[in-house]
Amino acid sequence: MQRWRGLEEIPGDWGRSVVTIGSFDGVHRGHQLIIGRAVERARELGLPAVVVTFDPHPREVIRPGSHPPLLAPHPRRAELIAELGVDAVLVLPFTTEFSQESPETFVQQVLVDALRARVVIEGPNFRFGHRAAGNVALLTELGRADDFEVQVIDLQVRGTAGDGEPFSSSLTRRLVETGDMAGANEVLGRPHRVEGVVVRGAQRGRELGYPTANVETVPHSAIPADGVYAGWLTAGGERMPAAISVGTNPTFDGTARTVEAYAIDRVGLDLYGLHVAVDFLTYLRGMEKFDSIEALLDRMADDVKRARELTDGV
């Protein structure tokens, strides 16, 4: 899959294509539906399928300080999109100047001049251009003038998560924030992932016999609620069952909120400085302050046992 950052990286001889545009944070099952339809239509026409997304999140530029927690950083997002069969991803730097472009200018510069869109596929609530003035009706009108077709796909994918609320990135963030990993994972179609670099912490886990990878997460990451989880730690291409702790280590009067993963039954791992991924499968319990180290160790042993059982064979 080709990856372009900015219009200037698109090959000058790029032919016509099928395009879909959006933030696509998390690439959840609703996103998968619309991207999958774009790929399907592209294959029918013998054209490449292109996903257009933005960095940073538009909300951060329009209202600084309001950046939503990210369900997937851009490199991970690109991986997930590539798995759906997309041929190219265009990441548009979202600047103040870019945010002030009219819907007509956006369509001309991106869809017509750069990507030479043959078909554009969007959800019914798609908005674009300055102050989100553009909608699918305007896009359809512009398409008739500029020789591209617009298809609108209903994104109302639902399940049990959120009491049947339509799947969305905002729903997923709420589920992650409350520790409802079953719900979040239903929307995503896979375990929620947090990534970052392993850094040195207080090393209490090592002293207690449970050495953990202390993950310095990617900025703006959607971190699950404080507690203990079963899941996996992936490092150097190896996926290992893990017991994961999120919180401030109240037994030791900690104040910094951390994400720590213990790779179950793995001895002698040296992960410092590595970029790793932590996948959250199931919430086990809330964060607790124990009266003694012995009580903490007993609970940790139980956490590891349950995490081992839950991840076995998954």
Side-chain angles (χ1 to χ4, degrees), residues 25 56 65 85 99 124 130 139 151 155 169 182 201 208 229 240 247 249 266 298 305:
D25 184 23
S99 73
H130 184 51
L139 185 65
Q151 292 186 3
L155 294 179
S169 296
L208 297 173
Y229 299 81
M240 300 167 278
N249 294 308
R266 296 299 299 268
D298 287 343
K305 178 176 181 293

mmCIF file of all heavy atoms in Angstrom, residues 25 56 65 85 99 124 130 139 151 155 169 182 201 208 229 240 247 249 266 298 305:
data_model
loop_
_atom_site.group_PDB
_atom_site.id
_atom_site.type_symbol
_atom_site.label_atom_id
_atom_site.label_comp_id
_atom_site.label_asym_id
_atom_site.label_seq_id
_atom_site.Cartn_x
_atom_site.Cartn_y
_atom_site.Cartn_z
ATOM 1 N N ASP A 25 -10.617 7.094 12.943
ATOM 2 C CA ASP A 25 -9.884 6.741 14.160
ATOM 3 C C ASP A 25 -10.401 5.410 14.688
ATOM 4 O O ASP A 25 -11.593 5.242 14.953
ATOM 5 C CB ASP A 25 -10.045 7.839 15.212
ATOM 6 C CG ASP A 25 -9.212 7.556 16.456
ATOM 7 O OD1 ASP A 25 -8.226 6.795 16.353
ATOM 8 O OD2 ASP A 25 -9.548 8.087 17.529
ATOM 9 N N PRO A 56 -3.002 16.693 12.415
ATOM 10 C CA PRO A 56 -3.652 16.107 13.592
ATOM 11 C C PRO A 56 -5.165 16.030 13.417
ATOM 12 O O PRO A 56 -5.700 16.429 12.373
ATOM 13 C CB PRO A 56 -3.283 17.086 14.707
ATOM 14 C CG PRO A 56 -3.148 18.398 13.999
ATOM 15 C CD PRO A 56 -2.542 18.071 12.664
ATOM 16 N N GLY A 65 -6.545 22.092 22.298
ATOM 17 C CA GLY A 65 -6.725 21.531 23.634
ATOM 18 C C GLY A 65 -7.877 20.553 23.732
ATOM 19 O O GLY A 65 -8.098 19.946 24.783
ATOM 20 N N GLY A 85 -7.400 -3.987 2.135
ATOM 21 C CA GLY A 85 -7.166 -4.050 0.699
ATOM 22 C C GLY A 85 -7.030 -2.707 0.013
ATOM 23 O O GLY A 85 -7.028 -2.637 -1.225
ATOM 24 N N SER A 99 -8.101 24.363 7.260
ATOM 25 C CA SER A 99 -9.448 24.339 7.844
ATOM 26 C C SER A 99 -10.340 25.434 7.290
ATOM 27 O O SER A 99 -11.569 25.359 7.403
ATOM 28 C CB SER A 99 -9.369 24.468 9.372
ATOM 29 O OG SER A 99 -9.037 25.789 9.764
ATOM 30 N N PRO A 124 -23.609 8.998 5.475
ATOM 31 C CA PRO A 124 -24.617 10.053 5.301
ATOM 32 C C PRO A 124 -24.308 11.334 6.071
ATOM 33 O O PRO A 124 -24.811 12.396 5.711
ATOM 34 C CB PRO A 124 -25.904 9.397 5.814
ATOM 35 C CG PRO A 124 -25.441 8.284 6.706
ATOM 36 C CD PRO A 124 -24.166 7.793 6.109
ATOM 37 N N HIS A 130 -14.657 24.508 5.160
ATOM 38 C CA HIS A 130 -14.682 25.492 6.246
ATOM 39 C C HIS A 130 -16.003 25.442 7.009
ATOM 40 O O HIS A 130 -17.073 25.463 6.410
ATOM 41 C CB HIS A 130 -14.466 26.888 5.663
ATOM 42 C CG HIS A 130 -14.386 27.974 6.695
ATOM 43 N ND1 HIS A 130 -13.551 27.898 7.797
ATOM 44 C CD2 HIS A 130 -15.032 29.161 6.795
ATOM 45 C CE1 HIS A 130 -13.676 28.994 8.513
ATOM 46 N NE2 HIS A 130 -14.580 29.769 7.930
ATOM 47 N N LEU A 139 -21.609 17.520 -2.111
ATOM 48 C CA LEU A 139 -20.598 16.672 -2.744
ATOM 49 C C LEU A 139 -21.162 16.028 -4.004
ATOM 50 O O LEU A 139 -20.482 15.957 -5.039
ATOM 51 C CB LEU A 139 -20.132 15.595 -1.760
ATOM 52 C CG LEU A 139 -18.994 14.691 -2.225
ATOM 53 C CD1 LEU A 139 -17.711 15.493 -2.427
ATOM 54 C CD2 LEU A 139 -18.745 13.569 -1.199
ATOM 55 N N GLN A 151 -21.410 7.849 -3.773
ATOM 56 C CA GLN A 151 -22.245 6.804 -3.180
ATOM 57 C C GLN A 151 -22.272 7.006 -1.670
ATOM 58 O O GLN A 151 -21.229 7.194 -1.046
ATOM 59 C CB GLN A 151 -21.705 5.413 -3.507
ATOM 60 C CG GLN A 151 -21.826 5.037 -4.978
ATOM 61 C CD GLN A 151 -21.418 3.589 -5.220
ATOM 62 O OE1 GLN A 151 -21.102 2.843 -4.298
ATOM 63 N NE2 GLN A 151 -21.441 3.193 -6.488
ATOM 64 N N LEU A 155 -23.999 3.822 7.742
ATOM 65 C CA LEU A 155 -23.019 3.327 8.716
ATOM 66 C C LEU A 155 -23.656 2.827 10.007
ATOM 67 O O LEU A 155 -22.968 2.666 11.011
ATOM 68 C CB LEU A 155 -22.022 4.450 9.057
ATOM 69 C CG LEU A 155 -21.115 4.907 7.931
ATOM 70 C CD1 LEU A 155 -20.209 6.024 8.408
ATOM 71 C CD2 LEU A 155 -20.287 3.759 7.412
ATOM 72 N N SER A 169 -16.548 6.073 16.684
ATOM 73 C CA SER A 169 -15.322 6.291 17.445
ATOM 74 C C SER A 169 -15.640 6.868 18.820
ATOM 75 O O SER A 169 -15.004 6.509 19.809
ATOM 76 C CB SER A 169 -14.390 7.235 16.673
ATOM 77 O OG SER A 169 -13.977 6.653 15.461
ATOM 78 N N ALA A 182 -15.047 -5.453 26.602
ATOM 79 C CA ALA A 182 -15.896 -6.322 25.787
ATOM 80 C C ALA A 182 -16.677 -5.484 24.784
ATOM 81 O O ALA A 182 -16.774 -5.828 23.599
ATOM 82 C CB ALA A 182 -16.838 -7.119 26.673
ATOM 83 N N GLY A 201 10.801 2.361 34.987
ATOM 84 C CA GLY A 201 9.916 2.859 36.022
ATOM 85 C C GLY A 201 10.529 2.650 37.387
ATOM 86 O O GLY A 201 11.754 2.631 37.541
ATOM 87 N N LEU A 208 9.066 -7.612 42.996
ATOM 88 C CA LEU A 208 8.011 -8.493 43.503
ATOM 89 C C LEU A 208 7.920 -9.813 42.733
ATOM 90 O O LEU A 208 7.105 -10.676 43.061
ATOM 91 C CB LEU A 208 6.664 -7.775 43.432
ATOM 92 C CG LEU A 208 6.520 -6.521 44.297
ATOM 93 C CD1 LEU A 208 5.214 -5.821 43.993
ATOM 94 C CD2 LEU A 208 6.615 -6.876 45.780
ATOM 95 N N TYR A 229 -6.149 -5.851 33.736
ATOM 96 C CA TYR A 229 -6.735 -6.448 32.541
ATOM 97 C C TYR A 229 -5.945 -7.677 32.103
ATOM 98 O O TYR A 229 -4.753 -7.793 32.379
ATOM 99 C CB TYR A 229 -6.717 -5.439 31.383
ATOM 100 C CG TYR A 229 -7.493 -4.181 31.630
ATOM 101 C CD1 TYR A 229 -6.940 -3.131 32.372
ATOM 102 C CD2 TYR A 229 -8.785 -4.018 31.122
ATOM 103 C CE1 TYR A 229 -7.654 -1.961 32.600
ATOM 104 C CE2 TYR A 229 -9.505 -2.848 31.350
ATOM 105 C CZ TYR A 229 -8.933 -1.828 32.085
ATOM 106 O OH TYR A 229 -9.642 -0.673 32.315
ATOM 107 N N MET A 240 2.721 -11.949 23.313
ATOM 108 C CA MET A 240 2.813 -12.720 24.557
ATOM 109 C C MET A 240 1.614 -12.449 25.459
ATOM 110 O O MET A 240 1.242 -11.279 25.666
ATOM 111 C CB MET A 240 4.102 -12.330 25.300
ATOM 112 C CG MET A 240 5.376 -12.587 24.506
ATOM 113 S SD MET A 240 6.847 -11.777 25.225
ATOM 114 C CE MET A 240 6.646 -10.096 24.547
ATOM 115 N N GLY A 247 -2.950 2.509 36.089
ATOM 116 C CA GLY A 247 -3.266 3.279 37.287
ATOM 117 C C GLY A 247 -2.043 3.876 37.944
ATOM 118 O O GLY A 247 -0.977 3.982 37.328
ATOM 119 N N ASN A 249 -0.644 2.851 41.046
ATOM 120 C CA ASN A 249 -0.014 2.016 42.074
ATOM 121 C C ASN A 249 -0.307 2.557 43.485
ATOM 122 O O ASN A 249 0.602 2.969 44.212
ATOM 123 C CB ASN A 249 1.508 1.933 41.861
ATOM 124 C CG ASN A 249 1.868 1.201 40.579
ATOM 125 O OD1 ASN A 249 1.407 0.093 40.336
ATOM 126 N ND2 ASN A 249 2.669 1.845 39.747
ATOM 127 N N ARG A 266 7.323 -15.211 31.212
ATOM 128 C CA ARG A 266 8.511 -14.907 30.442
ATOM 129 C C ARG A 266 9.594 -14.362 31.367
ATOM 130 O O ARG A 266 9.360 -13.428 32.139
ATOM 131 C CB ARG A 266 8.206 -13.890 29.347
ATOM 132 C CG ARG A 266 7.217 -14.411 28.314
ATOM 133 C CD ARG A 266 7.756 -15.659 27.605
ATOM 134 N NE ARG A 266 8.992 -15.385 26.903
ATOM 135 C CZ ARG A 266 9.040 -15.011 25.641
ATOM 136 N NH1 ARG A 266 7.925 -14.870 24.927
ATOM 137 N NH2 ARG A 266 10.202 -14.781 25.066
ATOM 138 N N ASP A 298 -0.643 -11.888 46.695
ATOM 139 C CA ASP A 298 -1.702 -12.896 46.536
ATOM 140 C C ASP A 298 -2.647 -12.490 45.408
ATOM 141 O O ASP A 298 -3.041 -13.323 44.582
ATOM 142 C CB ASP A 298 -2.484 -13.053 47.845
ATOM 143 C CG ASP A 298 -1.696 -13.798 48.911
ATOM 144 O OD1 ASP A 298 -0.703 -14.466 48.550
ATOM 145 O OD2 ASP A 298 -2.072 -13.713 50.101
ATOM 146 N N LYS A 305 -3.046 -15.694 37.019
ATOM 147 C CA LYS A 305 -3.717 -16.968 36.743
ATOM 148 C C LYS A 305 -4.929 -16.746 35.830
ATOM 149 O O LYS A 305 -5.118 -17.466 34.843
ATOM 150 C CB LYS A 305 -4.143 -17.618 38.052
ATOM 151 C CG LYS A 305 -4.908 -18.935 37.899
ATOM 152 C CD LYS A 305 -5.203 -19.533 39.271
ATOM 153 C CE LYS A 305 -5.957 -20.864 39.151
ATOM 154 N NZ LYS A 305 -7.328 -20.667 38.593
#
